[in-house]
Amino acid sequence: MLQVRKQEEEETEEELSPEEKRILERKLKKERKKAQKKLMREAMPGAEKNQPKKPSGSELALDYLTTWAGSPQGWKFQKTRQTWLLLHMYDKDQVPDQYFSILLQYLEGLQGCARDTTVQKAEALMKEYDQSDMEDDLLEGKRGRIRKVLQLLS
């Protein structure tokens, strides 16, 4: 099959412009590389399973938070971790209670736009939840967390 394809390519190559030839060569290179990877995967079926699992966003963010609290010398600011924490701080499943108290301490040092945005979002969420008729334990937990954040940052 590859020989037939090569013959077809050689016949059409004569009719192609230099730009079209370059594009065709790139496509062929990609196909060869893909086929080579497939062969490698088939040759080592257990290789992918042995690779260590990458930590999730929540694990990385909570580790970032505990490093901040435990050893400030080894801690380095990471915007992606802070953003994740700010987005998920009201969810008890994502940020358990044991980490929320550390997060509140972390929020004390929050500055600039991040602080302003966090306050605005918290106020908007509080209004939304106050207007909601639902009485739910999960909702009450979020309201409590929002209140604590607003008290801290306002």
Side-chain angles (χ1 to χ4, degrees):
M1 176 150 171
L2 286 173
Q3 291 176 347
V4 173
R5 190 172 182 160
K6 284 182 183 178
Q7 287 175 349
E8 290 174 0
E9 291 169 7
E10 288 173 3
E11 291 171 5
T12 57
E13 262 184 36
E14 296 169 1
E15 304 164 6
L16 300 176
S17 70
E19 180 66 20
E20 292 171 327
K21 285 182 182 179
R22 188 180 64 79
I23 292 171
L24 181 63
E25 287 172 5
R26 290 173 73 191
K27 284 183 182 179
L28 291 173
K29 186 177 178 182
K30 272 187 179 180
E31 288 177 13
R32 282 193 298 268
K33 200 171 188 180
K34 190 174 181 181
Q36 199 173 26
K37 280 186 178 181
K38 185 177 180 182
L39 288 173
M40 291 295 286
R41 268 186 265 134
E42 290 172 356
M44 294 186 278
E48 290 179 359
K49 294 176 185 174
N50 293 340
Q51 292 179 349
K53 183 183 154 200
K54 292 183 179 179
S56 68
S58 64
E59 292 171 339
L60 291 170
L62 295 176
D63 185 45
Y64 168 81
L65 193 61
T66 53
T67 303
W68 173 84
S71 60
Q73 301 86 2
W75 177 82
K76 182 181 176 197
F77 176 74
Q78 296 178 12
K79 184 161 181 73
T80 53
R81 304 293 169 247
Q82 177 176 300
T83 302
W84 189 95
L85 287 166
L86 294 175
L87 286 173
H88 298 93
M89 68 181 158
Y90 305 119
D91 187 357
K92 284 187 178 187
D93 295 333
Q94 298 287 335
V95 181
D97 290 333
Q98 65 194 37
Y99 293 100
F100 189 70
S101 59
I102 299 170
L103 181 60
L104 288 174
Q105 294 170 7
Y106 178 82
L107 292 177
E108 286 178 8
L110 201 59
Q111 299 174 357
C113 186
R115 186 182 192 100
D116 298 338
T117 305
T118 302
V119 170
Q120 289 172 355
K121 285 183 179 180
E123 288 172 346
L125 282 172
M126 197 61 158
K127 285 180 186 176
E128 181 184 323
Y129 290 152
D130 285 344
Q131 292 172 357
S132 150
D133 294 337
M134 290 182 7
E135 290 301 321
D136 175 341
D137 289 339
L138 186 63
L139 190 62
E140 284 303 314
K142 285 187 178 185
R143 275 188 191 153
R145 285 187 172 203
I146 294 170
R147 267 190 218 103
K148 288 179 182 177
V149 169
L150 282 173
Q151 287 172 352
L152 179 74
L153 298 178
S154 297

